[in-house]
Every structure is written in C-alpha cells, then in structure tokens.
C-alpha cells in the first residue's frame, strides 16, 4: 500500500471509532461530550477521506447511514424465529392468574419459591428485528404478522442509536426491539411539517410508523426515530445467558439502547409494585408507553413454558387502563361483513381520545346496542385502550335530549337490498345476499388475497371496490382470469401497476393447503385451524369429503367447526369455486397427512430439530414434511431430541447434538428416510 493510503486507512478507522463513540454517548447514553459542530467537523473529515479513497468505504461506516437509493417496494423477510405477539391484561386479577398459571406449569422447577420476573415498560412503537452477521448489521425488518415482515434495512440504518457493527464473536445475532419517536422529537417534527405545509401526525406512534415505511431512506433520515432493544431473537455461535435480565445487560454492553426503567422482581407483589412505580413515572418518561411487560426471567423456564398459538406463555403485557372522552352519537350506520353479518357502527362527532381522533366505533350487534341503551343524539363515553379499537362505553343518560332516537335495524341490506335476517339464538343479523352482495364479495376477496391467505400483493381495498363494482370479478377464481386490458381501464391504474398486480396474482398460484383453506373464508376456520386441517389431511379432496367424525379427530376442531366445514363443502357452489381455482392453476404440495401417518415410520412420534441450510428444500417445507410423517419439530436441541437434521453450515445446534449424543442425520440420510422408495 502506498504511504498515503496507509495513513488514510488509519485516520479513517480512528474517525469511525470516534464518531461511533459520540453517537453512542449522544443517542444511547444521553450524555454527549462534544458539541454538534465538532461532531460535524469530524464527520466531514471522514466524508472527505472516503471520497479520496472510495475503496476504503465499508458498510459499517457512519457515512453509510444515509444516502441509499429509494426503493420501489419493500421486499419480504421471513422471520426464521417467529416474532411472537404478547398476551394482554388490564386487571390485577388477570396478572395474579398469569403468575398462578406459570407456577402451576413450572411446579417441579420452582416448588414453593416465588417466580422471578423481568419487568420493563411497554414501548408504544413498532416491533422490529435487527440481524447481525459476524458483527455487521445486515438486515432490519418489521414484525409484520410475526412470520413475515418487510425489509426496512436502509431506513433502520438511519437510526443513529442502532449500531452498524457490534463487537461480538457471534456468527449470527438477532436483536429485537421497538422503534419509536420520543415525544419531544414528535413535537418538533410536527412543527416542521406544519411549517412546510406538510402532513402532521396524530401521535408519535403514527409518526414512527409513517417514517419507517418510507421508500426513500433520505426521508426517514430526516425523521428523529429512536430504538430500544427488548430481547434476543435467533443467535448462532453465541453463548446465551441464563436470564432475560442478563441478556439485556449483554445488549447494553454491545451498545444497544435498552430501557433504564427495567427491574427484576419476585412474585405478584413485585409485579404490582413495579406497575405502580411505572404508572407514576409514565407522564415524565420522554416517550409514550401503553403499559408494562412482565417476562419470566430464567430463560430455561421460558423454554419450559413455551407458547400457545402466537403468544408466549412466559410473558404478558399489563396495559394501562383505557382512556376516555365524551362526544355526541350523531348516527348509527350499518356495515356488512364478509359473512353478511350486519354491524351497527356509531357515527360520532370526532373526538380526540387515547392519542387519535375517533369518528366511528363499532357497536358489535343489536343486542349490545340495546344493552347499553344507546340512542341517536346521546352524549356518550368513548373509550380507547392503546391500539385497541375504540368503543362506545355508555350513554350519559342525564344529558339525553328529548328527541333522541332509537336505532332501527334496516330490513334490507344497504349494499344489495337483500333481506336482512336474524336466526334464532344468534346475536347478529345477516344480509342474505351471500356473494350476490357486493359488500360480502369485496370482503371475501380481500380475505382471500390477504397476506396470510393467498398473499396477492397489490390487491388492496380500493382496487377490490373497483373490480367488484365494475363486475370484473365475482368469485376469487375470476381474479386469475383478469387481463391487463381490463385492469388498465381502472382508475389510477397504469399499465405498469396492472402488470405488477397480474404478477402478484400469478405468484399467488403457488401456495400451501393451509393458506388455501384459510383463504376460502369458511366460518370458524381461522389460520390456526386451517393449518391443523392441512396437517391432518395433507390433501384437499380427502378434506372436502371427510365425514364429521373424521373432522372431529383434527387437533382443536370441535362440533361447531366441523359442522361449518361440512356445510361449506356440501354446497355445490363452493365446490365449484374450489375446482375453478384449481383449474386456474392454484396449487400446493399435497402430502399423506397425519391421518395416514404410518405409526411405524422412522419419524412417527419423534422430536426432530432442523439446523443449517438444506439444499433440496426450505426449512419450512422440511418442517411440513416431517410433521406430515408424525414428527414434532422443535427449535432447540435437548436430551429429548431424537434426531438432528444437519444441513450446510450447521452451527451450535449440531455441536450441542454431538455433545448430548443425539443422532445426527445428513441431508442425504434425511431424504432417504423421507422417501424410502425413491
Ligand atoms: O416494549 C415493548 N413493546 C415490548 C414488546 C417489550 N418490552 N417486550 C416484548 N417482548 C416480546 C416477547 C416476550 C414475545 C419476546 C415485546 C413483544 N414481544 C412484542 N412486540 C410486538 C409484538 C410482540
């Protein structure tokens, strides 16, 4: 290397370390030691040196936080370890029940001792995941639905408190936390927006969400976002500590911002004291929180508790009580849902409550409306808790005007004029129009296309409104028959977006049986049930023809669900739609299903752990295949593991399997067990 380059390289390294240190002091420790002007000089010096030596620019240089090009769209990220949701509680007795349940499930491990909990504020922001490979920040993603989120790496790089490099020997380190906007930053941003005659945000959470969702990272860079880590995700080559609190200590050592308000407490009394402490501190915190989070502190106990559905059993959010305001109930409209359910909706004089302006609120059903004794013209109390949908709590009877009017359920559907009927014993009235009713058709299509169903990118509610109103689409199968010409004729639809939508529709053809079952919108068949059904049957024809008693054998399927599935497939019209969809090319991998699992097969009843990368299939596919053969697929290796399937670049799980003497299968061996005849 020429001398000048050697010097530059040295100075660049020193400047980066210096600048990183100041960013950390300013944004994480809140204790800056130099002025902004001095920081800026150092920064400009680095920029100049990097301009002279562009080959010395590295991805973790502080200059690389800004300047990335705008994107056309965010790409999807699959969370290798799902980002679970948190159960909610408002009342003290729910917290006592949480502690009791944990203790009961951990009886052997804790005996009579009080359980230790890690407590932290519940940031009212957006959950994200940060991935570091060999210490370098490589990917940042939103939580999305917990399974897939959006790749917002460029935007997260602009957040100064997120380190671009961490000093760790971990091959893989995933840090999870919340992005938010501090109250002061929010006020300043809104003042700036107003001065520019641009959109002002209703609350810090919306401002943070809007800023993170910018396709142009230069816009995000102008928005003062903060980050706080709340835990670890997937790690490889990293020795996990024993407790959540120690994991947080480690994160702080690695220079991630963590809350200063955390505590480790014992038992329900400890939880109650912490809640009181934070409730008092709430208004003086620099950011919005909507409650606190309690987590069983020992990670081994967390593992033992596991999770149900999408929420861990070892953690719970204790939310602050809802906020309330009064306003006028100006009218009651009705809305038609996907299954024809008619929901009365309160039209309210707009009121600011719990951080947003509310002008509508669902009234659920007629009975509820009568029970609450609501009349049009009433002054009502509107309640809103955190991100929960606002509700009309009650009328203030003393303020009722003499001309207050009773709500009358319309006899005919406002959308399609079909009769509205209420079945015996059911609380909801329904439009009888079925898929003739445009409102139901729209909802059914949106349900079909949503991310967790067939995931048709680009098919939002405005488009669905148009294609239904113009008679272009009657059933989901019609989506697969749309052409560019028909779509280009729609409002605000250029040929390019039409083509994008068609690409999205084409891409959705390859799906899974579980998604397909969920997409059909069978009453009582949610995502989890659809997955259980797919696992059990593995094959659509067998599922459609299954008698009630077979359906009842499926995990978590009771008589109501089984009836509903039977009724759905007994209608020739529904079978017709299914056949049309298959004819249009919608397909998935069919399997033998659990129902047919050979109880003597090599994986039946075994616990299997997948690690590393398989060349012949994705991890999810491997999991599906194993489960179809009766195996339980687990995330971590323990003495109870029967097999570890080790693909390329297997890490700590393989080491652990070998240490515990667990049988390890290579990919080739695994495939030979999967397909013994092939
Ligand atoms: O401050 C938060 N909003 C927060 C969210 C937190 N302090 N801890 C959290 N812990 C979890 C688990 C226990 C599931 C790892 C969370 C969240 N989850 C969470 N945020 C959004 C969905 C779930």
């Amino acid at each position: 290397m020429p001398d000048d380059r050697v010097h530059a390289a040295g100075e660049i390294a020193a400047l980066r370390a210096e600048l990183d240190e100041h960013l950390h002091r300013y944004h994480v420790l809140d204790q800056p030691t130099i002025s902004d002007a001095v920081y800026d000089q150092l920064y400009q010096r680095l920029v100049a040196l990097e301009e002279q030596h562009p080959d010395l620019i590295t991805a973790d240089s502080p200059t690389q936080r800004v300047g990335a090009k705008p994107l056309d769209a965010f790409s999807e990220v699959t969370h290798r370890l799902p980002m679970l949701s948190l159960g909610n509680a408002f009342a003290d007795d729910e917290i006592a029940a949480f502690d009791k349940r944990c203790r009961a499930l951990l009886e052997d491990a804790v005996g009579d001792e009080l359980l230790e909990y890690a407590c932290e504020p519940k940031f009212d922001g957006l959950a994200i995941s940060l991935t570091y490979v060999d210490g370098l920040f490589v990917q940042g993603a939103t939580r999305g639905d917990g399974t897939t989120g959006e790749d917002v790496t460029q935007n997260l790089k602009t957040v100064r408190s997120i380190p671009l490099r961490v000093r760790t020997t971990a091959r893989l380190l995933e840090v999870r936390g919340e992005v938010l906007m501090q109250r002061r930053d929010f006020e300043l941003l809104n003042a700036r927006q107003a001065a520019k005659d641009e959109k002002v945000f209703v609350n810090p959470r919306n401002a943070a969400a809007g800023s993170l969702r910018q396709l142009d990272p230069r816009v995000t860079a102008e928005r003062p976002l903060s980050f706080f880590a709340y835990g670890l995700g997937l790690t490889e080559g990293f020795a996990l500590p024993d407790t959540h609190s120690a994991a947080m200590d480690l994160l702080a050592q690695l220079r991630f911002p963590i809350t200063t308000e955390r505590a480790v407490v014992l038992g329900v009394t400890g939880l109650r004291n912490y809640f009181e402490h934070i409730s008092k501190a709430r208004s003086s915190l620099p950011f919005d929180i909507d409650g606190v989070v309690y987590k069983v502190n020992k990670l081994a106990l967390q593992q033992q508790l596991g999770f149900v559905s999408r929420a861990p059993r070892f953690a719970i959010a204790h939310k602050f009580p809802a906020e309330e305001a009064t306003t006028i109930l100006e009218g009651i409209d009705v809305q038609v849902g996907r299954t024809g359910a008619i929901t009365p909706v309160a039209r309210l004089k707009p009121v600011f409550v719990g951080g947003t302006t509310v002008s509508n609120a669902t009234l659920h059903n007629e009975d509820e409306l009568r029970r609450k004794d609501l009349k049009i013209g009433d002054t009502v109390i509107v309640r809103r808790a955190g991100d929960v949908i606002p509700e009309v709590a009650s009328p203030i009877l003393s303020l009722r005007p003499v001309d207050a009017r009773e709500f009358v359920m319309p006899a005919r559907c406002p959308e399609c004029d079909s009769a509205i009927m209420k079945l015996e014993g059911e609380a909801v009235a329904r439009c009888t129009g079925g898929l003739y009713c445009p409102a139901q058709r729209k909802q059914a299509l949106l349900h079909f296309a949503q991310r967790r169903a067939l995931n048709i990118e680009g098919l939002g509610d405005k488009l669905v409104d148009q294609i239904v109103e113009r008679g272009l689409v009657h059933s989901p199968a019609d989506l697969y028959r749309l052409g560019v010409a028909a779509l280009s004729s729609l409002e605000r639809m250029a040929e390019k977006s039409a083509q994008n939508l068609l690409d999205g529709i084409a891409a959705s053809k390859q799906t899974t049986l579980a998604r397909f079952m969920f997409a059909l919108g069978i009453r009582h068949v949610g995502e989890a049930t659809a997955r259980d059904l797919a696992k059990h049957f593995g094959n659509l024809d067998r599922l459609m023809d299954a008698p009630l008693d077979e359906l009842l054998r499926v995990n978590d399927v009771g008589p109501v669900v089984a009836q509903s599935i039977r009724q759905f497939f007994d209608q020739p019209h529904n079978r017709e739609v299914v056949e049309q969809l298959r004819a249009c090319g919608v397909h998935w991998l069919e399997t033998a299903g659990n129902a047919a699992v050979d109880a003597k097969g090599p994986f039946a009843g075994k616990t299997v752990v997948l690690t590393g990368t398989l060349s012949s299939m994705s991890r999810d596919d491997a999991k599906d295949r194993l489960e179809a053969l009766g195996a339980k697929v687990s995330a971590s290796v323990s003495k109870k593991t029967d097999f570890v399937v080790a693909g390329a670049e297997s890490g700590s799980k393989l080491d652990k399997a070998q240490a515990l003497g667990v049988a390890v299968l290579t990919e080739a061996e695994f495939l030979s067990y999967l397909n013994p005849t092939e």
Side-chain angles (χ1 to χ4, degrees):
M1 244 197 293
D3 253 12
D4 154 59
R5 232 176 89 81
V6 177
H7 272 120
E11 192 180 349
I12 285 176
L15 279 168
R16 285 179 188 159
E18 179 80 12
L19 288 166
D20 277 341
E21 177 66 26
H22 291 302
L23 283 182
H24 179 67
R25 289 192 191 165
Y26 185 95
H27 292 282
V28 180
L29 304 178
D30 221 0
Q31 290 165 344
T33 48
I34 59 173
S35 68
D36 290 1
V38 172
Y39 178 88
D40 218 49
Q41 275 173 5
L42 295 172
Y43 185 87
Q44 290 310 331
R45 172 77 188 141
L46 178 59
V47 169
L49 281 170
E50 287 184 344
E51 265 167 17
Q52 281 167 26
H53 302 277
D55 54 315
L56 295 179
I57 298 177
T58 54
D60 60 355
S61 172
T63 58
Q64 302 305 299
R65 289 186 178 271
V66 288
K69 298 224 161 53
L71 300 169
D72 290 326
F74 295 119
S75 44
E76 256 190 20
V77 173
T78 303
H79 299 298
R80 277 212 275 160
L81 193 68
M83 292 184 76
L84 301 174
S85 58
L86 271 176
N88 271 337
F90 286 94
D92 275 354
D93 56 355
E94 292 174 275
I95 298 304
F98 163 72
D99 175 63
K100 197 168 160 197
R101 190 169 62 239
C102 288
R103 295 175 59 89
L105 288 165
L106 296 172
E107 202 188 320
D108 297 340
V110 296
D112 293 335
E113 312 222 342
L114 292 176
L115 259 179
E116 193 177 277
Y117 292 101
C119 305
E120 56 208 33
K122 184 169 183 304
F123 299 106
D124 195 8
L126 298 109
I128 58 152
S129 147
L130 305 172
T131 302
Y132 293 81
V133 172
D134 295 326
L136 182 68
F137 175 55
V138 293
Q139 187 174 68
T142 61
R143 175 174 178 272
D145 61 8
T147 309
T148 39
E150 286 177 328
D151 185 330
V152 288
T153 311
Q154 297 196 2
N155 290 345
L156 290 173
K157 275 190 164 183
T158 71
V159 179
R160 301 296 192 282
S161 53
I162 294 180
L164 297 182
R165 175 170 293 279
V166 291
R167 277 174 197 276
T168 169
T169 52
R171 276 188 297 283
L172 175 72
L173 178 71
E174 190 195 348
V175 175
R176 290 175 173 183
E178 296 257 328
V179 162
L180 52 84
M181 199 175 283
Q182 308 211 8
R183 281 199 280 259
R184 220 181 115 245
D185 291 329
F186 165 74
E187 301 297 343
L188 290 172
L189 171 65
N190 263 356
R192 222 166 59 208
Q193 293 284 105
K196 285 192 293 186
D197 238 357
E198 284 183 32
K199 176 182 161 176
V200 296
F201 297 95
V202 289
N203 57 36
R205 189 178 189 288
N206 284 12
S211 304
L212 197 59
R213 235 184 280 118
Q214 292 294 328
L215 289 168
D216 185 348
R218 286 169 294 196
V219 177
T220 310
E222 301 285 306
R223 305 282 175 81
L225 292 172
S226 297
F227 171 75
F228 286 97
Y230 67 63
L232 290 167
L234 205 60
T235 59
E236 279 172 23
F238 181 81
L240 280 178
D242 291 339
T243 58
H244 177 72
S245 51
M248 296 295 279
D249 292 341
L250 257 169
L251 284 169
Q253 259 171 37
L254 293 174
R255 302 189 148 201
F256 287 94
I258 63 166
T259 174
T260 51
E261 297 293 326
R262 69 203 174 107
V264 174
V265 306
L266 285 175
V268 186
T269 315
L271 296 178
R272 198 173 300 137
N273 291 340
Y274 179 78
F275 186 74
E276 265 176 37
H277 161 72
I278 294 290
S279 300
K280 289 203 187 95
R282 183 183 186 186
S283 59
S284 56
L285 292 175
F287 41 74
D288 285 352
I289 62 174
D290 56 348
V292 297
V293 185
Y294 307 140
K295 299 173 183 174
V296 170
N297 199 24
K298 286 215 171 61
L299 300 189
L301 298 183
Q302 290 192 356
Q303 269 241 320
Q304 209 175 320
L305 285 165
F307 46 88
V308 263
S309 191
R310 292 164 160 270
R313 281 205 203 87
F314 60 79
I316 195 164
H318 191 175
K319 296 259 205 127
F320 294 131
E323 290 183 42
E324 294 185 343
T326 63
T327 188
I328 307 287
L329 178 58
E330 292 182 331
I332 296 178
D333 302 327
V334 298
Q335 239 171 30
V336 189
R338 176 165 63 80
T339 57
I342 303 279
T343 318
V345 179
R347 193 156 20 88
L348 302 165
K349 179 159 182 245
V351 60
F352 197 71
V353 53
T356 48
T357 303
V358 174
S359 48
N360 294 297
T362 174
L363 296 168
H364 303 290
N365 58 55
E366 210 177 345
D367 292 350
E368 167 115 347
L369 208 157
R370 306 265 178 252
R371 192 173 54 70
K372 287 185 175 163
D373 183 24
L374 292 168
K375 292 207 169 127
I376 299 164
D378 272 341
T379 296
V380 294
I381 295 173
V382 178
R383 182 185 295 156
R384 189 170 172 280
D387 47 4
V388 178
I389 309 165
E391 64 164 357
V392 178
S394 59
I396 301 177
L397 292 176
S398 59
L399 297 179
R400 175 166 284 171
V402 283
D403 60 349
R405 282 176 298 131
E406 190 87 36
F407 166 74
V408 188
M409 179 61 87
R412 313 205 72 87
C413 172
E415 299 277 344
C416 71
D417 206 38
S418 302
I420 287 177
M421 305 253 269
K422 195 161 151 181
L423 293 180
E424 278 276 325
E426 276 208 21
V428 290
R430 283 177 200 280
C431 159
T432 54
L435 289 182
Y436 167 75
C437 174
Q440 292 186 51
R441 216 181 306 145
K442 286 175 190 170
Q443 299 290 331
L445 286 169
L446 282 172
H447 174 80
F448 183 86
Q450 69 170 288
R451 184 143 77 173
R452 294 182 188 178
L454 278 247
N455 188 18
I456 303 184
E457 224 160 283
L459 191 64
D461 46 5
K462 300 235 162 54
L463 253 175
V464 166
D465 281 355
Q466 289 194 60
I467 56 178
V468 167
E469 272 154 30
R470 299 207 184 186
L472 293 175
V473 172
H474 292 87
S475 86
D478 292 337
L479 290 171
Y480 295 92
R481 303 186 183 115
L482 286 171
V484 178
L487 286 177
S488 302
S489 71
L490 301 177
E491 269 166 53
R492 281 195 289 178
M493 177 64 98
E495 200 163 305
K496 176 144 183 287
S497 9
Q499 192 54 52
N500 285 347
L501 175 59
L502 290 178
D503 291 346
I505 292 173
S508 74
K509 287 183 187 174
Q510 184 182 338
T511 186
T512 63
L513 179 56
R515 281 172 176 274
F516 186 77
M517 279 304 294
F518 175 56
L520 290 176
I522 302 170
R523 277 189 73 194
H524 307 298
V525 178
E527 214 185 350
T529 307
R531 226 179 288 132
D532 287 338
L533 287 164
K535 238 181 240 171
H536 184 92
F537 290 99
N539 160 316
L540 180 63
D541 288 305
R542 278 227 314 283
L543 201 172
M544 290 199 296
D545 294 336
L548 276 182
D549 57 348
E550 179 68 33
L551 288 167
L552 286 169
R553 248 175 258 145
V554 179
N555 186 26
D556 278 342
V557 169
V560 175
V561 183
Q563 271 295 352
S564 169
I565 297 168
R566 215 32 286 135
Q567 274 169 7
F568 184 89
F569 288 120
D570 282 344
Q571 290 200 20
H573 156 81
N574 289 331
R575 292 234 177 194
E576 178 62 19
V577 172
V578 168
E579 288 324 320
Q580 285 178 10
L581 285 165
R582 286 206 276 204
C584 289
V586 176
H587 67 282
W588 51 85
L589 188 73
E590 302 222 307
T591 66
N594 283 351
V597 167
D598 175 1
K600 293 194 288 290
F603 294 117
K606 301 289 193 228
T607 301
V608 183
V609 173
L610 293 163
T611 178
T613 315
L614 298 176
S615 60
S616 55
M617 65 182 85
S618 73
R619 201 181 272 240
D620 283 344
D621 285 341
K623 182 163 185 265
D624 286 348
R625 298 281 289 271
L626 281 165
E627 285 176 347
L629 293 170
K632 180 172 168 255
V633 178
S634 161
S636 58
V637 179
S638 74
K639 276 182 290 191
K640 291 189 194 137
T641 310
D642 294 297
F643 298 108
V644 168
V645 177
E649 287 158 42
S650 297
S652 57
K653 291 183 192 173
L654 179 57
D655 301 343
K656 185 151 181 209
Q658 282 160 345
L660 291 173
V662 172
V664 176
L665 300 180
T666 62
E667 177 163 5
E669 286 166 333
F670 170 58
L671 291 175
S672 72
Y673 282 124
L674 280 185
N675 310 306
T677 51
E678 274 172 30

